[in-house]
Amino acid sequence: MNITIDSLCVSEKSVVGRLLAKQLGFMFVNTFTSSKEFVVAGRNASINIIPDTDIKIVLTANLTIRIARRYLENYDDY
């Protein structure tokens, strides 16, 4: 079984993917695969990476929250 997580940028799909993979004992992949027992996170992962995935999760996040996360990603070191 594979699980894909789709969402717009800065919606925490990688965080959710890592946690889900750890709970299920799956490998987390943040790019392309056709093997089984992976949790794959990426924009359009269930369309472009594994179109025949078993479980598709689509995340969303408030625009203000996404902007704040992106800002912290880019300017947290300053």
Side-chain angles (χ1 to χ4, degrees), residues 19-49:
L19 292 172
L20 183 59
K22 184 176 181 179
Q23 288 291 319
L24 296 173
F26 286 16
M27 179 180 281
F28 174 73
V29 178
N30 205 9
T31 185
F32 298 96
T33 184
S34 61
S35 300
K36 295 293 181 180
E37 297 190 357
F38 285 98
V39 174
V40 180
R43 188 159 184 192
N44 298 320
S46 63
I47 296 169
N48 296 326
I49 300 171

Side-chain angles (χ1 to χ4, degrees), residues 8-77:
L8 298 174
C9 62
V10 201
S11 297
E12 299 298 322
K13 61 189 159 286
S14 294
V15 172
V16 172
R18 281 188 192 95
L19 292 172
L20 183 59
K22 184 176 181 179
Q23 288 291 319
L24 296 173
F26 286 16
M27 179 180 281
F28 174 73
V29 178
N30 205 9
T31 185
F32 298 96
T33 184
S34 61
S35 300
K36 295 293 181 180
E37 297 190 357
F38 285 98
V39 174
V40 180
R43 188 159 184 192
N44 298 320
S46 63
I47 296 169
N48 296 326
I49 300 171
I50 309 178
D52 61 342
T53 189
D54 301 295
I55 298 172
K56 297 180 182 186
I57 299 171
V58 179
L59 299 178
T60 187
N62 177 286
L63 180 60
T64 304
I65 299 296
R66 292 174 50 220
I67 291 168
R69 287 178 184 154
R70 179 64 74 187
Y71 178 83
L72 291 174
E73 272 182 8
N74 292 322
Y75 301 103
D76 193 37
D77 295 335

